[in-house]
Amino acid sequence: MWARVGDRLIVGGATVGDEGRDGEIVGLHHEDGTPPFDVRWSDTGRVTEVFPGPDARVHHFPPHDTKATTRS
């Protein structure tokens, strides 16, 4: 499992019927994007360090181009 800042971590619920949690990955501890991740949870807004388990998956988003483009 790997991620970039801005990707979404989705963790399955602990019991049947529990929809689980999701959050934005806001920090990485390793240059190769492997866990742990710093995640801002959508339900609380808190940031925690997460070591994802087997019930977790990463939703990757395309990287944003930080260069401004101008047209003449």
Side-chain angles (χ1 to χ4, degrees):
M1 177 180 290
W2 66 274
R4 292 183 296 254
V5 170
D7 287 345
R8 184 151 300 285
L9 181 68
I10 303 164
V11 181
T15 60
V16 174
D18 181 3
E19 59 188 59
R21 300 178 84 181
D22 71 297
E24 178 185 1
I25 297 173
V26 295
L28 302 172
H29 293 256
H30 302 286
E31 287 185 21
D32 64 358
T34 56
F37 309 128
D38 292 334
V39 176
R40 179 179 300 115
W41 297 106
S42 62
D43 58 348
T44 64
R46 293 186 61 208
V47 175
T48 60
E49 183 178 6
V50 179
F51 293 84
D55 61 339
R57 68 186 192 278
V58 174
H59 181 133
H60 299 284
F61 291 98
H64 295 291
D65 185 5
T66 57
K67 298 177 191 171
T69 57
T70 57
R71 294 196 164 139
S72 334

